[in-house]
Amino acid sequence: ENPQFLQRYDTVVSAELTRIDAIIEELLAYGRLAPAARQKTPINPLIREVLILIENELDKKQINLKTYFNDDNTQIMANANQIKQVLMNLLLNAIQAMPQNGTLTITTEKETDSTISDENLITKLKIIIGDTGCGIAQDQLPNLFKPFFTTKSTGTGLGLSISQRIVKEHAGEIAVTSELNRGTNFIITLPANQP
Protein backbone atom coordinates (compact mmCIF):
# COMPACT_ATOMS: atom_id res chain seq x y z
CA GLU A 1 0.00 0.00 0.00
CA ASN A 2 1.14 3.49 -0.81
CA PRO A 3 -0.09 5.93 1.89
CA GLN A 4 0.66 8.97 -0.28
CA PHE A 5 -1.41 7.55 -3.12
CA LEU A 6 -4.29 6.71 -0.76
CA GLN A 7 -4.19 10.18 0.77
CA ARG A 8 -4.18 11.81 -2.67
CA TYR A 9 -6.93 9.43 -3.81
CA ASP A 10 -9.06 10.34 -0.77
CA THR A 11 -8.55 14.06 -1.42
CA VAL A 12 -9.43 13.81 -5.12
CA VAL A 13 -12.44 11.56 -4.55
CA SER A 14 -13.74 13.83 -1.81
CA ALA A 15 -13.36 16.92 -4.02
CA GLU A 16 -15.03 15.17 -6.96
CA LEU A 17 -17.93 13.97 -4.82
CA THR A 18 -18.45 17.54 -3.61
CA ARG A 19 -18.36 18.78 -7.21
CA ILE A 20 -20.79 16.09 -8.40
CA ASP A 21 -23.08 16.89 -5.49
CA ALA A 22 -23.08 20.57 -6.52
CA ILE A 23 -23.90 19.59 -10.12
CA ILE A 24 -26.78 17.39 -8.98
CA GLU A 25 -28.16 20.20 -6.79
CA GLU A 26 -28.01 22.64 -9.70
CA LEU A 27 -29.57 20.10 -12.07
CA LEU A 28 -32.41 19.55 -9.62
CA ALA A 29 -32.89 23.30 -9.33
CA TYR A 30 -32.83 23.55 -13.14
CA GLY A 31 -35.38 20.77 -13.47
CA ARG A 32 -37.82 22.08 -10.90
CA LEU A 33 -37.68 25.66 -12.12
CA ALA A 34 -41.35 26.30 -12.78
CA PRO A 35 -43.41 29.42 -13.28
CA ALA A 36 -43.81 30.86 -9.81
CA ALA A 37 -46.17 33.49 -8.47
CA ARG A 38 -45.25 36.94 -9.71
CA GLN A 39 -46.12 40.33 -8.40
CA LYS A 40 -45.27 43.96 -9.11
CA THR A 41 -41.71 44.34 -7.89
CA PRO A 42 -39.78 47.63 -7.75
CA ILE A 43 -36.45 46.71 -9.32
CA ASN A 44 -34.00 49.14 -7.70
CA PRO A 45 -34.81 48.16 -4.08
CA LEU A 46 -34.48 44.50 -5.13
CA ILE A 47 -30.99 45.16 -6.53
CA ARG A 48 -30.01 47.01 -3.34
CA GLU A 49 -31.03 43.95 -1.28
CA VAL A 50 -28.71 41.75 -3.36
CA LEU A 51 -25.87 44.28 -3.11
CA ILE A 52 -26.02 44.05 0.69
CA LEU A 53 -25.31 40.31 0.37
CA ILE A 54 -22.14 40.85 -1.70
CA GLU A 55 -20.77 43.83 0.25
CA ASN A 56 -18.21 41.68 2.06
CA GLU A 57 -16.87 40.21 -1.21
CA LEU A 58 -16.51 43.69 -2.70
CA ASP A 59 -14.62 44.89 0.38
CA LYS A 60 -12.32 41.84 0.43
CA LYS A 61 -11.28 42.36 -3.19
CA GLN A 62 -11.31 46.16 -2.93
CA ILE A 63 -13.77 46.42 -5.80
CA ASN A 64 -15.30 49.81 -6.45
CA LEU A 65 -19.11 49.73 -6.82
CA LYS A 66 -20.91 52.24 -9.01
CA THR A 67 -24.70 52.33 -9.33
CA TYR A 68 -26.71 54.33 -11.83
CA PHE A 69 -30.38 53.72 -11.06
CA ASN A 70 -33.40 55.19 -12.78
CA ASP A 71 -36.22 56.28 -10.48
CA ASP A 72 -37.33 53.79 -7.85
CA ASN A 73 -40.90 53.59 -9.17
CA THR A 74 -40.05 51.33 -12.10
CA GLN A 75 -41.51 47.90 -11.50
CA ILE A 76 -41.48 44.51 -13.16
CA MET A 77 -43.88 41.61 -12.82
CA ALA A 78 -41.56 39.12 -11.19
CA ASN A 79 -40.88 36.35 -8.79
CA ALA A 80 -38.51 38.39 -6.63
CA ASN A 81 -36.52 35.37 -5.41
CA GLN A 82 -35.84 34.14 -8.93
CA ILE A 83 -34.70 37.59 -10.12
CA LYS A 84 -32.49 37.85 -7.02
CA GLN A 85 -30.94 34.49 -7.97
CA VAL A 86 -30.13 35.83 -11.46
CA LEU A 87 -28.64 39.05 -10.07
CA MET A 88 -26.61 37.19 -7.44
CA ASN A 89 -25.19 34.83 -10.06
CA LEU A 90 -24.19 37.65 -12.42
CA LEU A 91 -22.72 39.79 -9.64
CA LEU A 92 -20.65 36.93 -8.20
CA ASN A 93 -19.40 36.08 -11.71
CA ALA A 94 -18.37 39.72 -12.15
CA ILE A 95 -16.54 39.70 -8.81
CA GLN A 96 -14.72 36.46 -9.72
CA ALA A 97 -13.62 38.05 -12.99
CA MET A 98 -11.78 40.77 -11.02
CA PRO A 99 -9.09 39.14 -8.83
CA GLN A 100 -8.24 42.40 -7.02
CA ASN A 101 -9.50 45.95 -7.44
CA GLY A 102 -11.62 46.78 -10.46
CA THR A 103 -15.02 48.39 -10.82
CA LEU A 104 -18.45 46.79 -10.72
CA THR A 105 -21.16 48.90 -12.34
CA ILE A 106 -24.91 48.36 -12.13
CA THR A 107 -27.24 50.46 -14.24
CA THR A 108 -31.02 50.40 -14.58
CA GLU A 109 -32.63 52.12 -17.56
CA LYS A 110 -36.19 52.56 -18.75
CA GLU A 111 -37.13 52.10 -22.38
CA THR A 112 -40.28 53.17 -24.16
CA ASP A 113 -41.65 51.68 -27.34
CA SER A 114 -41.78 54.33 -30.07
CA THR A 115 -44.72 52.53 -31.70
CA ILE A 116 -46.90 53.28 -28.65
CA SER A 117 -48.38 56.77 -28.64
CA ASP A 118 -48.33 57.24 -24.84
CA GLU A 119 -44.86 58.72 -24.23
CA ASN A 120 -45.07 58.04 -20.49
CA LEU A 121 -45.60 54.31 -20.90
CA ILE A 122 -42.47 52.42 -19.87
CA THR A 123 -42.38 49.16 -21.77
CA LYS A 124 -38.97 47.71 -20.90
CA LEU A 125 -36.46 47.84 -18.12
CA LYS A 126 -32.75 47.17 -18.66
CA ILE A 127 -30.39 46.02 -15.94
CA ILE A 128 -26.75 46.26 -16.99
CA ILE A 129 -24.08 44.59 -14.84
CA GLY A 130 -20.58 45.51 -15.93
CA ASP A 131 -17.13 44.62 -14.65
CA THR A 132 -13.58 45.64 -15.50
CA GLY A 133 -12.34 42.07 -15.23
CA CYS A 134 -10.53 39.62 -17.48
CA GLY A 135 -13.26 39.51 -20.12
CA ILE A 136 -14.41 36.59 -22.24
CA ALA A 137 -12.97 35.55 -25.60
CA GLN A 138 -15.29 36.28 -28.53
CA ASP A 139 -15.34 32.63 -29.64
CA GLN A 140 -16.64 31.62 -26.19
CA LEU A 141 -19.54 34.09 -26.07
CA PRO A 142 -21.98 31.93 -28.12
CA ASN A 143 -21.53 29.07 -25.61
CA LEU A 144 -21.89 31.07 -22.39
CA PHE A 145 -25.52 30.14 -21.72
CA LYS A 146 -25.14 26.45 -22.62
CA PRO A 147 -25.47 24.06 -19.66
CA PHE A 148 -22.10 22.89 -18.26
CA PHE A 149 -20.09 25.45 -20.24
CA THR A 150 -17.78 27.46 -18.00
CA THR A 151 -14.76 29.71 -18.46
CA LYS A 152 -13.80 29.33 -14.77
CA SER A 153 -11.67 26.70 -13.08
CA THR A 154 -14.44 26.09 -10.53
CA GLY A 155 -18.19 25.91 -10.93
CA THR A 156 -20.60 23.66 -12.73
CA GLY A 157 -21.42 25.80 -15.74
CA LEU A 158 -25.13 25.89 -14.89
CA GLY A 159 -25.44 29.36 -13.34
CA LEU A 160 -25.81 31.30 -16.58
CA SER A 161 -28.01 28.63 -18.13
CA ILE A 162 -30.40 28.79 -15.16
CA SER A 163 -30.26 32.59 -15.17
CA GLN A 164 -31.17 32.71 -18.86
CA ARG A 165 -34.07 30.34 -18.29
CA ILE A 166 -35.43 32.47 -15.43
CA VAL A 167 -35.16 35.66 -17.51
CA LYS A 168 -36.90 33.99 -20.49
CA GLU A 169 -39.70 32.76 -18.22
CA HIS A 170 -40.15 36.39 -17.18
CA ALA A 171 -40.63 37.26 -20.90
CA GLY A 172 -37.20 38.89 -20.95
CA GLU A 173 -33.83 38.53 -22.62
CA ILE A 174 -30.25 38.34 -21.40
CA ALA A 175 -27.28 39.32 -23.55
CA VAL A 176 -23.55 39.72 -23.07
CA THR A 177 -20.79 41.86 -24.52
CA SER A 178 -17.16 41.38 -23.57
CA GLU A 179 -13.63 42.32 -24.43
CA LEU A 180 -10.57 40.41 -23.23
CA ASN A 181 -8.69 42.24 -20.46
CA ARG A 182 -11.25 45.07 -20.56
CA GLY A 183 -14.36 43.59 -18.97
CA THR A 184 -17.84 42.21 -19.51
CA ASN A 185 -21.40 43.56 -19.56
CA PHE A 186 -24.49 41.45 -18.99
CA ILE A 187 -27.69 43.13 -20.14
CA ILE A 188 -31.02 41.90 -18.81
CA THR A 189 -34.13 43.29 -20.53
CA LEU A 190 -37.50 42.72 -18.82
CA PRO A 191 -41.03 43.96 -19.44
CA ALA A 192 -41.76 46.89 -17.15
CA ASN A 193 -44.95 47.93 -15.40
CA GLN A 194 -46.12 51.36 -14.43
CA PRO A 195 -46.74 51.74 -10.67
Side-chain angles (χ1 to χ4, degrees), residues 15 20 29 55 99 102 139 142 147 154 168 171-172 181 184:
I20 290 166
E55 245 174 34
D139 63 338
T154 59
K168 280 186 174 177
N181 304 315
T184 302

Side-chain angles (χ1 to χ4, degrees), residues 43 47 74-78 83 86-87 90 107-113 122-129 145 163-177 185-193:
I43 195 65
I47 295 171
T74 306
Q75 300 180 53
I76 57 171
M77 281 300 287
I83 296 300
V86 171
L87 294 170
L90 294 178
T107 307
T108 57
E109 298 174 352
K110 296 182 280 191
E111 257 185 37
T112 53
D113 188 336
I122 303 160
T123 56
K124 290 182 183 173
L125 171 82
K126 276 191 179 178
I127 305 165
I128 303 156
I129 296 173
F145 297 103
S163 294
Q164 183 185 51
R165 186 167 167 189
I166 290 170
V167 170
K168 280 186 174 177
E169 287 184 358
H170 280 77
E173 296 172 355
I174 185 168
V176 61
T177 61
N185 287 314
F186 279 91
I187 304 108
I188 303 167
T189 307
L190 293 163
N193 287 271

